[in-house]
């Protein structure tokens, strides 16, 4: 693994997967935001990436690109999702971190990069809105502010997608705080202990098997089973959610508030 990871990577991945937006078609609204960014900053390449465990999925591609994803190994966005602010590389060839990067030293011969993190709550950055060029450039503070604002519009579109797939589009408004919106998608599907026990039953796992799959202690698993989801740290709960998702088990919330669990591989569902 050649790329840096945020310290809360398990929590970040659980939030991303709960959004159910990976491998979905392009969004006309997000494509329009990218076109605005391309004209505004006069750059040849603009794209929106979402950072999965070992790949970046393009929710919006640069013009002319056919691939829908790329490995995380050498992506500049690995550094964008480590920060709350816009991450800028004025000249990759003159930067020690990126000078030998294959996207700099070879095709695409990138030089300039600026990325606004797609932040849904403090510390949770799902990906980036990126602008790049094959020639070095400077990027002013004003331009960083503009790119960050466009990144928030992308996050708004991710929020709308989440409301639509969770059946809440008609009842939940977009956040109105434009200074620092808190778009916690994961709040809507954070599992209860009853849901976790139901998911556990679908897989017929032992305590040790669930602990091993989530890479947490068996004590934490028993604590959730006995005392509920609020008895463990958020990162432990997210690790449990991610372990279930990797087995095709998802936690659901119907538009009437009914909680459930589904297993996509067998199309089984349970009401919790």
């Amino acid at each position: 693994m050649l790329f840096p990871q945020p310290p809360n990577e398990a929590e970040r991945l659980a939030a991303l997967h709960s959004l159910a937006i990976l491998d979905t078609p392009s969004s006309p609204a997000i494509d329009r935001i990218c076109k605005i960014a391309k004209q505004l900053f006069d750059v040849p390449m603009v794209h929106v990436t979402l950072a999965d465990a070992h790949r970046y999925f393009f929710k919006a591609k640069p013009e002319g690109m056919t691939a829908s994803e790329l490995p995380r190994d050498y992506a500049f966005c690995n550094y964008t999702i480590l920060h709350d602010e816009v991450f800028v590389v004025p000249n990759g060839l003159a930067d020690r971190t990126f000078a030998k990067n294959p996207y700099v030293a070879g095709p695409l011969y990138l030089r300039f990069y600026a990325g606004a993190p797609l932040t849904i709550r403090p510390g949770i950055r799902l990906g980036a809105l990126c602008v790049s060029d094959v020639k070095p450039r400077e990027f002013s503070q004003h331009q960083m502010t503009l790119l960050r604002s466009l990144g928030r519009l992308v996050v708004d579109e991710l929020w709308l997608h989440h409301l639509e797939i969770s059946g809440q589009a008609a009842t939940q408004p977009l956040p109105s705080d434009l200074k620092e919106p808190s778009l916690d998608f994961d709040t809507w599907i954070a599992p209860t202990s009853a849901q976790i026990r139901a998911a556990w039953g679908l897989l017929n796992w032992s305590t040790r098997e669930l602990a091993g799959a989530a890479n947490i202690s068996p004590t934490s698993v028993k604590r959730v089973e006995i005392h509920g989801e609020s008895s463990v740290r958020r990162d432990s709960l997210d690790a449990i959610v991610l372990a279930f998702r990797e087995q095709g088990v998802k936690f659901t919330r119907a538009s009437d508030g009914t909680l459930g669990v589904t297993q996509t591989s067998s199309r089984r569902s349970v009401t919790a």
Side-chain angles (χ1 to χ4, degrees):
M1 186 169 58
L2 304 174
F3 53 87
Q5 288 189 341
N8 58 347
E9 179 72 350
E11 181 184 1
R12 192 194 66 77
L13 285 172
L16 173 63
H17 291 174
S18 73
L19 186 55
I21 200 167
L22 293 172
D23 302 310
T24 58
S26 61
S27 160
I30 292 178
D31 286 344
R32 284 195 293 271
I33 294 170
C34 290
K35 288 180 180 178
I36 291 171
K38 185 175 181 180
Q39 295 176 356
L40 184 62
F41 302 114
D42 190 25
V43 292
M45 291 170 281
V46 180
H47 54 282
V48 171
T49 59
L50 297 170
D52 201 1
H54 298 288
R55 61 167 178 155
Y56 272 97
F57 168 66
F58 286 107
K59 186 59 182 173
K61 303 176 187 177
E63 287 187 18
M65 177 172 284
T66 57
S68 61
E69 63 182 61
L70 57 79
R72 275 184 70 174
D73 287 357
Y74 299 105
F76 283 51
C77 300
N78 287 318
Y79 295 86
T80 301
I81 64 173
L82 298 178
H83 307 276
D84 286 321
E85 299 302 321
V86 171
F87 177 68
V88 178
V89 180
N91 184 355
L93 200 59
D95 190 301
R96 290 182 59 187
T97 301
F98 299 103
K100 295 183 179 180
N101 185 299
Y103 299 134
V104 174
L108 306 158
Y109 300 107
L110 290 180
R111 295 297 179 265
F112 167 76
Y113 168 93
L118 305 179
T119 305
I120 61 168
R121 64 174 181 266
I124 301 297
R125 310 167 195 99
L126 302 185
L129 167 62
C130 315
V131 298
S132 53
D133 201 342
V134 295
K135 59 184 180 181
R137 322 172 58 120
E138 295 300 322
F139 209 60
S140 70
Q141 188 63 49
H142 176 63
Q143 289 174 311
M144 292 184 200
T145 300
L146 291 175
L147 184 62
R148 189 166 182 238
S149 296
L150 291 175
R152 288 172 181 164
L153 293 180
V154 173
V155 172
D156 282 350
E157 293 303 320
L158 301 183
W159 173 257
L160 286 172
H161 167 85
H162 176 72
L163 293 181
E164 289 170 359
I165 66 170
S166 62
Q168 301 176 79
T171 60
Q172 297 293 335
L174 282 170
S176 59
D177 182 0
L178 297 180
K179 289 186 177 180
E180 204 62 53
S182 178
L183 306 181
D184 189 352
F185 305 126
D186 209 27
T187 297
W188 301 106
I189 65 162
T192 64
S193 56
Q195 284 178 293
I196 292 173
R197 287 193 293 272
W200 205 338
L202 283 176
L203 295 179
N204 197 28
W205 270 350
S206 66
T207 298
R208 186 175 298 276
E209 286 173 322
L210 176 54
N215 196 28
I216 62 175
S217 70
T219 302
S220 294
V221 173
K222 293 299 292 184
R223 190 179 297 128
V224 172
E225 180 185 15
I226 297 170
H227 301 293
E229 66 281 1
S230 61
S231 64
V232 298
R233 296 184 309 177
R234 177 63 179 268
D235 58 348
S236 295
L237 185 60
D238 283 328
I240 290 173
V241 171
L242 185 58
F244 282 127
R245 285 187 176 277
E246 289 176 345
Q247 300 299 317
V249 176
K250 296 183 179 181
F251 301 102
T252 61
R253 184 191 299 266
S255 57
D256 63 359
T258 302
L259 302 177
V261 179
T262 63
Q263 187 176 14
T264 55
S265 58
S266 63
R267 298 185 180 178
R268 289 190 293 173
S269 63
V270 177
T271 301

